Protein backbone atom coordinates (compact mmCIF):
# COMPACT_ATOMS: atom_id res chain seq x y z
CA UNK A 1 0.00 0.00 0.00
CA UNK A 2 1.52 3.32 -1.09
CA UNK A 3 1.49 6.44 1.03
CA UNK A 4 -1.84 8.23 0.97
CA UNK A 5 -1.81 11.54 -0.86
CA UNK A 6 -5.00 13.11 0.44
CA UNK A 7 -4.28 15.51 3.28
CA UNK A 8 -7.67 17.19 3.37
CA UNK A 9 -9.14 20.10 1.47
CA UNK A 10 -7.69 23.52 2.13
CA UNK A 11 -8.89 25.70 4.97
CA UNK A 12 -10.01 28.22 2.35
CA UNK A 13 -11.96 25.72 0.22
CA UNK A 14 -15.45 26.59 1.45
CA UNK A 15 -14.68 30.32 1.85
CA UNK A 16 -13.58 30.26 -1.80
CA UNK A 17 -16.87 28.70 -2.90
CA UNK A 18 -18.79 31.21 -0.82
CA UNK A 19 -16.89 34.08 -2.44
CA UNK A 20 -17.39 32.52 -5.89
CA UNK A 21 -21.11 32.32 -5.20
CA UNK A 22 -21.10 36.06 -4.57
CA UNK A 23 -18.84 37.20 -7.40
CA UNK A 24 -19.69 34.85 -10.30
CA UNK A 25 -17.54 36.63 -12.87
CA UNK A 26 -14.54 35.63 -14.95
CA UNK A 27 -12.30 38.44 -13.74
CA UNK A 28 -12.63 37.46 -10.09
CA UNK A 29 -12.21 33.76 -10.85
CA UNK A 30 -9.06 34.31 -12.89
CA UNK A 31 -7.55 36.40 -10.12
CA UNK A 32 -8.26 33.62 -7.63
CA UNK A 33 -7.76 30.56 -9.83
CA UNK A 34 -4.60 29.51 -8.01
CA UNK A 35 -6.60 29.43 -4.77
CA UNK A 36 -9.23 27.23 -6.41
CA UNK A 37 -6.59 24.81 -7.65
CA UNK A 38 -4.65 24.55 -4.38
CA UNK A 39 -7.61 24.44 -2.00
CA UNK A 40 -10.11 22.38 -4.03
CA UNK A 41 -9.01 20.92 -7.37
CA UNK A 42 -5.68 19.37 -6.36
CA UNK A 43 -6.98 17.94 -3.06
CA UNK A 44 -9.94 16.42 -4.89
CA UNK A 45 -7.51 14.84 -7.34
CA UNK A 46 -5.56 13.37 -4.42
CA UNK A 47 -8.79 12.07 -2.92
CA UNK A 48 -9.79 10.38 -6.19
CA UNK A 49 -6.41 8.66 -6.44
CA UNK A 50 -6.44 7.52 -2.83
CA UNK A 51 -9.98 6.15 -3.05
CA UNK A 52 -9.26 4.41 -6.34
CA UNK A 53 -6.38 2.56 -4.69
CA UNK A 54 -8.40 1.68 -1.61
CA UNK A 55 -11.39 0.52 -3.64
CA UNK A 56 -9.16 -1.74 -5.74
CA UNK A 57 -7.68 -3.30 -2.61
CA UNK A 58 -11.19 -3.93 -1.25
CA UNK A 59 -12.59 -5.31 -4.51
CA UNK A 60 -15.00 -2.40 -4.99
CA UNK A 61 -15.73 -1.58 -8.67
CA UNK A 62 -14.96 2.14 -8.53
CA UNK A 63 -11.95 3.78 -10.10
CA UNK A 64 -11.10 7.21 -11.36
CA UNK A 65 -8.53 9.63 -12.67
CA UNK A 66 -7.42 12.73 -10.75
CA UNK A 67 -8.29 14.97 -13.71
CA UNK A 68 -10.87 13.17 -15.85
CA UNK A 69 -13.06 12.12 -12.92
CA UNK A 70 -13.62 15.69 -11.77
CA UNK A 71 -16.57 17.68 -13.07
CA UNK A 72 -15.76 21.13 -14.37
CA UNK A 73 -16.25 24.17 -12.18
CA UNK A 74 -17.52 25.94 -15.30
CA UNK A 75 -21.28 25.73 -15.84
CA UNK A 76 -23.01 25.04 -19.15
CA UNK A 77 -25.64 27.76 -18.86
CA UNK A 78 -26.89 27.66 -22.45
CA UNK A 79 -30.25 26.11 -21.57
CA UNK A 80 -30.59 27.40 -18.01
CA UNK A 81 -32.30 30.50 -16.66
CA UNK A 82 -29.38 30.79 -14.26
CA UNK A 83 -26.58 32.24 -16.38
CA UNK A 84 -23.98 32.11 -13.61
CA UNK A 85 -20.73 30.92 -15.23
CA UNK A 86 -19.44 28.84 -12.29
CA UNK A 87 -20.73 26.00 -10.15
CA UNK A 88 -20.90 26.55 -6.39
CA UNK A 89 -19.45 23.10 -5.81
CA UNK A 90 -16.75 20.75 -7.04
CA UNK A 91 -17.40 17.05 -7.50
CA UNK A 92 -15.97 13.82 -8.87
CA UNK A 93 -17.30 10.47 -10.00
CA UNK A 94 -15.63 7.05 -9.83
CA UNK A 95 -17.11 4.24 -11.90
CA UNK A 96 -16.49 0.67 -13.01
CA UNK A 97 -14.54 1.69 -16.11
CA UNK A 98 -13.04 4.88 -14.74
CA UNK A 99 -15.19 7.13 -16.94
CA UNK A 100 -18.05 9.44 -15.96
CA UNK A 101 -20.64 6.95 -17.17
CA UNK A 102 -22.89 6.29 -14.21
CA UNK A 103 -25.09 3.50 -15.52
CA UNK A 104 -22.93 0.62 -14.24
CA UNK A 105 -22.80 1.67 -10.62
CA UNK A 106 -20.81 4.62 -9.35
CA UNK A 107 -19.36 6.49 -6.40
CA UNK A 108 -19.87 10.27 -6.29
CA UNK A 109 -18.47 12.89 -3.94
CA UNK A 110 -19.50 16.55 -3.85
CA UNK A 111 -17.92 19.43 -1.94
CA UNK A 112 -20.35 22.32 -1.90
CA UNK A 113 -21.86 25.14 0.09
CA UNK A 114 -24.27 24.16 2.86
CA UNK A 115 -27.81 24.89 1.71
CA UNK A 116 -26.76 25.34 -1.92
CA UNK A 117 -25.40 21.97 -3.03
CA UNK A 118 -24.12 20.61 0.28
CA UNK A 119 -21.26 18.24 0.99
CA UNK A 120 -22.14 14.59 0.49
CA UNK A 121 -21.21 11.28 -1.12
CA UNK A 122 -23.36 8.76 -2.91
CA UNK A 123 -23.16 5.20 -4.17
CA UNK A 124 -25.67 4.58 -6.93
CA UNK A 125 -27.12 2.92 -9.93
CA UNK A 126 -28.04 6.14 -11.70
CA UNK A 127 -29.54 6.83 -15.13
CA UNK A 128 -29.28 3.20 -16.16
CA UNK A 129 -29.94 2.27 -19.76
CA UNK A 130 -33.62 1.26 -20.17
CA UNK A 131 -32.83 -2.44 -20.48
CA UNK A 132 -31.01 -2.50 -17.16
CA UNK A 133 -33.63 -0.45 -15.33
CA UNK A 134 -36.34 -2.80 -16.63
CA UNK A 135 -34.30 -5.82 -15.49
CA UNK A 136 -33.92 -4.29 -12.03
CA UNK A 137 -37.66 -3.70 -11.76
CA UNK A 138 -38.37 -7.26 -12.86
CA UNK A 139 -35.86 -8.59 -10.34
CA UNK A 140 -37.59 -6.67 -7.54
CA UNK A 141 -40.91 -8.30 -8.41
CA UNK A 142 -39.71 -11.78 -9.41
CA UNK A 143 -37.02 -12.18 -6.75
CA UNK A 144 -38.31 -10.06 -3.86
CA UNK A 145 -36.31 -12.02 -1.30
CA UNK A 146 -33.04 -10.89 -2.89
CA UNK A 147 -34.16 -7.27 -3.05
CA UNK A 148 -35.36 -7.28 0.55
CA UNK A 149 -32.14 -8.95 1.69
CA UNK A 150 -30.17 -6.15 0.05
CA UNK A 151 -32.32 -3.49 1.74
CA UNK A 152 -31.88 -5.20 5.13
CA UNK A 153 -28.12 -5.42 4.62
CA UNK A 154 -27.98 -1.69 3.89
CA UNK A 155 -30.01 -0.95 7.02
CA UNK A 156 -27.65 -3.04 9.13
CA UNK A 157 -24.89 -0.85 7.72
CA UNK A 158 -26.73 2.35 8.62
CA UNK A 159 -27.92 3.13 5.09
CA UNK A 160 -31.23 3.22 3.24
CA UNK A 161 -32.32 3.60 -0.36
CA UNK A 162 -33.34 7.14 -1.33
CA UNK A 163 -36.56 7.97 -3.19
CA UNK A 164 -35.34 10.95 -5.22
CA UNK A 165 -36.98 11.24 -8.66
CA UNK A 166 -39.37 8.36 -7.98
CA UNK A 167 -42.34 7.89 -10.34
CA UNK A 168 -45.74 8.87 -8.94
CA UNK A 169 -47.41 5.85 -10.53
CA UNK A 170 -46.34 2.29 -11.19
CA UNK A 171 -44.64 2.00 -14.59
CA UNK A 172 -46.32 0.18 -17.45
CA UNK A 173 -46.23 -3.57 -17.02
CA UNK A 174 -45.99 -3.37 -13.23
CA UNK A 175 -49.50 -2.18 -12.39
CA UNK A 176 -50.19 -5.55 -10.71
CA UNK A 177 -47.58 -5.06 -7.96
CA UNK A 178 -49.44 -4.70 -4.66
CA UNK A 179 -46.93 -5.20 -1.86
CA UNK A 180 -46.11 -1.66 -0.68
CA UNK A 181 -42.34 -1.97 -0.37
CA UNK A 182 -42.01 -3.60 -3.79
CA UNK A 183 -44.39 -1.14 -5.44
CA UNK A 184 -42.40 1.82 -4.09
CA UNK A 185 -39.13 0.25 -5.21
CA UNK A 186 -40.41 -0.41 -8.73
CA UNK A 187 -41.22 3.30 -9.05
CA UNK A 188 -37.56 4.18 -8.58
CA UNK A 189 -35.67 5.54 -11.57
CA UNK A 190 -32.41 5.25 -9.64
CA UNK A 191 -31.15 3.20 -6.73
CA UNK A 192 -28.77 4.99 -4.40
CA UNK A 193 -27.63 5.66 -0.88
CA UNK A 194 -26.15 8.88 0.45
CA UNK A 195 -23.78 9.98 3.19
CA UNK A 196 -23.79 13.54 4.43
CA UNK A 197 -20.39 15.15 4.92
CA UNK A 198 -19.91 17.67 7.71
CA UNK A 199 -18.45 20.75 5.95
CA UNK A 200 -16.18 21.33 8.95
CA UNK A 201 -14.59 17.92 8.38
CA UNK A 202 -13.38 18.34 4.79
CA UNK A 203 -9.97 19.70 5.82
CA UNK A 204 -9.11 16.46 7.62
CA UNK A 205 -7.31 13.51 5.94
CA UNK A 206 -9.78 11.29 7.79
CA UNK A 207 -12.43 12.27 5.24
CA UNK A 208 -10.96 9.62 2.92
CA UNK A 209 -11.39 6.99 5.64
CA UNK A 210 -15.04 7.89 6.13
CA UNK A 211 -15.73 7.84 2.39
CA UNK A 212 -14.09 4.45 2.02
CA UNK A 213 -16.09 3.09 4.96
CA UNK A 214 -19.28 4.44 3.38
CA UNK A 215 -18.53 2.69 0.07
CA UNK A 216 -17.89 -0.59 1.88
CA UNK A 217 -21.20 -0.27 3.73
CA UNK A 218 -22.96 0.41 0.40
CA UNK A 219 -21.55 -2.73 -1.25
CA UNK A 220 -24.83 -4.74 -0.95
CA UNK A 221 -26.46 -2.27 -3.36
CA UNK A 222 -23.66 -2.57 -5.90
CA UNK A 223 -23.57 -6.37 -5.62
CA UNK A 224 -27.33 -6.59 -6.16
CA UNK A 225 -27.13 -4.44 -9.28
CA UNK A 226 -24.06 -6.22 -10.66
CA UNK A 227 -25.82 -9.59 -10.45
CA UNK A 228 -28.73 -8.22 -12.47
CA UNK A 229 -26.45 -6.41 -14.92
CA UNK A 230 -24.83 -9.71 -15.92
CA UNK A 231 -28.20 -10.93 -17.20
CA UNK A 232 -28.67 -7.98 -19.55
CA UNK A 233 -27.04 -8.12 -23.03
CA UNK A 234 -24.45 -5.39 -23.54
Amino acid sequence: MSERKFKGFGEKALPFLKALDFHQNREWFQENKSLFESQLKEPLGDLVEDLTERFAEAGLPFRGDRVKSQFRIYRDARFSKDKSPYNRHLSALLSADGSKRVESGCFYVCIGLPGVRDCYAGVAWWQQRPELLLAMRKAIVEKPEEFRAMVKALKRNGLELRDTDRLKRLPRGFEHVEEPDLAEAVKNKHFFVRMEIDPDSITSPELADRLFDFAVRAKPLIDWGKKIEKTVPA
Side-chain angles (χ1 to χ4, degrees):
M1 183 175 64
S2 61
E3 182 181 357
R4 302 304 185 191
K5 294 182 179 180
F6 181 69
K7 307 301 181 184
F9 289 93
E11 295 286 349
K12 297 181 180 179
L14 291 182
F16 172 87
L17 290 176
K18 185 177 295 185
L20 179 62
D21 182 42
F22 176 79
H23 290 283
Q24 282 295 318
N25 66 75
R26 186 178 185 278
E27 292 73 21
W28 184 89
F29 183 81
Q30 289 301 316
E31 289 177 2
N32 294 275
K33 188 175 182 179
S34 61
L35 192 63
F36 161 70
E37 292 179 344
S38 66
Q39 301 291 295
L40 283 158
K41 187 175 182 179
E42 289 304 315
L44 183 56
D46 292 341
L47 180 61
V48 167
E49 290 190 345
D50 278 3
L51 289 177
T52 295
E53 183 176 332
R54 294 189 190 201
F55 291 159
E57 293 169 355
L60 291 169
F62 309 124
R63 59 190 178 93
D65 176 88
R66 67 176 298 113
V67 176
K68 295 179 181 179
S69 295
Q70 295 195 37
F71 289 92
R72 287 160 53 88
I73 193 71
Y74 308 99
R75 294 184 66 246
D76 182 355
R78 290 175 298 172
F79 308 106
S80 173
K81 292 182 180 180
D82 180 4
K83 298 302 180 182
S84 302
Y86 301 102
N87 286 311
R88 284 84 165 173
H89 64 276
L90 191 64
S91 59
L93 186 140
L94 289 77
S95 64
D97 64 1
S99 73
K100 289 180 184 173
R101 294 190 306 115
V102 299
E103 63 181 24
S104 291
C106 63
F107 176 93
Y108 177 78
V109 59
C110 177
I111 303 301
L113 292 176
V116 178
R117 185 60 182 260
D118 294 334
C119 292
Y120 69 95
V123 169
W125 291 90
W126 192 268
Q127 295 179 340
Q128 309 92 312
R129 54 197 171 100
E131 297 86 353
L132 179 54
L133 178 57
L134 178 60
M136 287 180 161
R137 286 171 170 165
K138 287 183 176 179
I140 291 170
V141 176
E142 296 172 2
K143 298 180 179 179
E145 69 284 352
E146 293 185 5
F147 172 75
R148 286 168 172 154
M150 179 269 290
V151 171
K152 288 181 180 179
L154 290 176
K155 287 185 177 180
R156 286 196 299 270
N157 294 342
L159 301 172
E160 62 179 350
L161 290 177
R162 309 278 292 201
D163 60 0
T164 298
D165 204 21
R166 176 179 285 171
L167 296 174
K168 294 182 179 179
R169 299 179 180 178
L170 286 165
R172 183 178 300 176
F174 294 90
E175 297 88 348
H176 65 285
V177 180
E178 296 181 351
E179 296 180 78
D181 62 327
L182 302 183
E184 290 302 297
V186 165
K187 293 178 186 177
N188 283 336
K189 294 181 182 180
H190 322 286
F191 298 88
F192 76 106
V193 290
R194 171 168 166 152
M195 182 191 85
E196 304 299 330
I197 299 173
D198 181 355
D200 293 335
S201 74
I202 69 169
T203 58
S204 170
E206 294 179 359
L207 174 61
D209 299 328
R210 294 194 296 275
L211 292 174
F212 173 71
D213 173 72
F214 164 63
V216 171
R217 290 187 287 120
K219 189 173 183 292
L221 172 60
I222 293 300
D223 290 346
W224 174 78
K226 286 292 183 184
K227 183 177 180 180
I228 298 169
E229 186 181 40
K230 291 178 180 178
T231 69
V232 181

